[in-house]
Amino acid sequence: MKPDVLLTNAVFPPTQARLEKEFTCHKLYEAADRTAFVRDIAPRVRAIAPFGGAGCTAELIAALPELEIIANFGVGVDAIDLEAARKHGVIVTNTPDVLNDCVADTALALTLNVFRKFPQSEAYLRSGYWAARGPYPLTAALGGKTMGILGLGRIGEAIARRALAFGMKIRYHNRHPKEVPYPYDPDPVALAKNSDVLMIATPGGPATHGLVGAKVLDALGRQGYVVNIARGSVIDQPVLLRYLQEGRIAGAGLDVFAEEPGVPPAFFALDNAVLLPHVGSATVETRTAMGNLQVENLRRHFAGKPVLTRVV
Ligand code: NAP
């Protein structure tokens, strides 16, 4: 008999097709009465396969007594209640590494776009201003500038390699220094002070909540840029918005926001921000690889083998 798997939200369609072929899938997101739906399937559900950890609350985990594994589609597990998973002996897996290149590409694209204002200059051309008003104003160069990476992990290291190819210098801060050829700063304020662009690549969750606030942005200064491909929660978003509006930092490139998909409309009016709808890993190739890893973790678990990428 196929194991019963709960889908809390829709995943990448080809992955969903594989999940539905190999497992008996229950779609929570289609249920009219979610409480009744969970109550009905609770005696049978052995796994949750969420996209981005959606819906994996302590309440849901506690409501599923037969739950053995949460196989996440995504590397970030900040939306999953890991404490509840530990308490109930539930394995949690994610999809690391296979998305490093695409997320790092996105980080460099945002960096280029905030320094060079390519989206804004393209909008200038499309508005007919080039002919009417003359050349677009000069922007800032990337080469020779310092990128300070806050969170030099798997993705952070892929970002560093790309930034080096653009002629940038790298510094970093993690809680634990690593064996890497880049200078280490002891805290985020020191890193921001020593950087032209602060690249945020930490995990989300309580340990990094509001890590980048007024003190860090003050240290970055009026000529400094911030790029966030991590989680919206890592930046104090209202403070960031105010600093961008008041020109207290030079600009921001953001792939992630505090309450996605909601973005405060005040951001739309900013000329010094480049905004993306959380597309860091959003390519067919990378999403396919992420889905394959999610399915493989479930397969291995139900075959009695160790999972490939365990978090808890
Ligand atoms: P990773 O390999 O675990 O790297 C995270 C790095 O952050 C580590 O070097 C870690 O070092 C550092 N870190 C953790 N907590 C910190 C803290 N409080 N202060 C300073 N540094 C801290 O993770 P990854 O695979 O690179 O992924 C990083 C994150 O990127 C994910 O968790 C996810 O939120 C985000 N992401 C976003 C997208 C997107 O589409 N935009 C896609 C994929 C991933 P220490 O432990 O030594 O501190």
Side-chain angles (χ1 to χ4, degrees):
M1 227 171 61
K2 292 179 184 176
D4 287 71
V5 175
L6 179 63
L7 307 184
T8 48
N9 54 357
V11 296
F12 178 55
T15 305
Q16 180 133 349
R18 284 192 64 193
L19 288 168
E20 289 184 31
K21 193 168 162 217
E22 300 196 26
F23 309 104
T24 302
C25 290
H26 305 276
K27 298 176 184 171
L28 180 59
Y29 55 95
E30 286 181 355
D33 180 343
R34 289 180 168 228
T35 311
F37 184 84
V38 170
R39 198 175 45 234
D40 285 352
I41 58 167
R44 303 190 299 282
V45 166
R46 296 172 64 193
I48 307 177
F51 177 86
C56 296
T57 59
E59 194 188 359
L60 181 65
I61 292 168
L64 299 172
E66 302 305 320
L67 185 64
E68 298 164 23
I69 179 169
I70 299 172
N72 190 36
F73 187 118
V75 65
V77 288
D78 47 300
I80 299 173
D81 194 316
L82 299 179
E83 269 322 301
R86 275 190 201 99
K87 188 173 141 201
H88 292 275
V90 172
I91 293 170
V92 177
T93 62
N94 65 349
T95 60
D97 287 318
V98 294
L99 40 62
N100 294 350
D101 285 341
C102 275
V103 181
D105 291 348
T106 306
L108 260 295
L110 280 172
T111 307
L112 260 175
N113 282 333
V114 285
F115 274 70
R116 298 292 308 276
K117 294 195 166 183
F118 289 133
Q120 297 92 321
S121 58
E122 202 221 20
Y124 185 85
L125 179 153
R126 284 178 188 260
S127 305
Y129 294 155
W130 189 14
R133 300 182 183 177
Y136 189 76
L138 300 186
T139 57
L142 231 60
K145 301 282 166 57
T146 298
M147 177 184 282
I149 302 182
L150 181 59
L152 188 76
R154 292 170 292 232
I155 294 170
E157 292 210 32
I159 295 171
R161 287 192 293 276
R162 283 160 175 74
L164 287 174
F166 279 88
M168 302 187 81
K169 298 171 199 138
I170 304 295
R171 317 181 59 84
Y172 79 105
H173 169 73
N174 284 352
R175 290 164 303 178
H176 315 97
K178 297 171 83 165
E179 288 287 322
V180 286
Y182 315 126
Y184 177 76
D185 286 305
D187 57 66
V189 170
L191 181 68
K193 203 173 188 134
N194 291 326
S195 302
D196 298 297
V197 53
L198 182 69
M199 173 63 66
I200 306 175
T202 62
T208 56
H209 192 91
L211 191 62
V212 175
K215 276 189 187 156
V216 175
L217 297 178
D218 281 335
L220 196 57
R222 288 184 181 274
Q223 305 300 319
Y225 298 84
V226 64
V227 174
N228 189 8
I229 55 84
R231 286 289 182 265
S233 60
V234 186
I235 300 191
D236 183 333
Q237 189 166 283
V239 166
L240 173 67
L241 177 60
R242 184 161 56 80
Y243 272 55
L244 287 166
Q245 287 169 330
E246 294 173 1
R248 293 169 74 160
I249 60 169
L254 307 172
D255 185 43
V256 287
F257 297 87
E259 285 173 27
E260 297 175 3
V263 178
F267 274 99
F268 306 155
L270 294 170
D271 181 56
N272 54 356
V274 177
L275 314 171
L276 297 179
H278 201 147
V279 293
S281 69
T283 64
V284 173
E285 293 85 348
T286 290
R287 290 285 166 91
T288 300
M290 292 165 73
N292 289 346
L293 187 47
Q294 179 188 41
V295 173
E296 192 55 27
N297 276 320
L298 286 170
R299 275 183 160 182
R300 290 177 68 93
H301 174 75
F302 290 122
K305 295 181 189 164
V307 293
L308 293 175
T309 49
R310 185 168 179 167
V311 181
V312 166

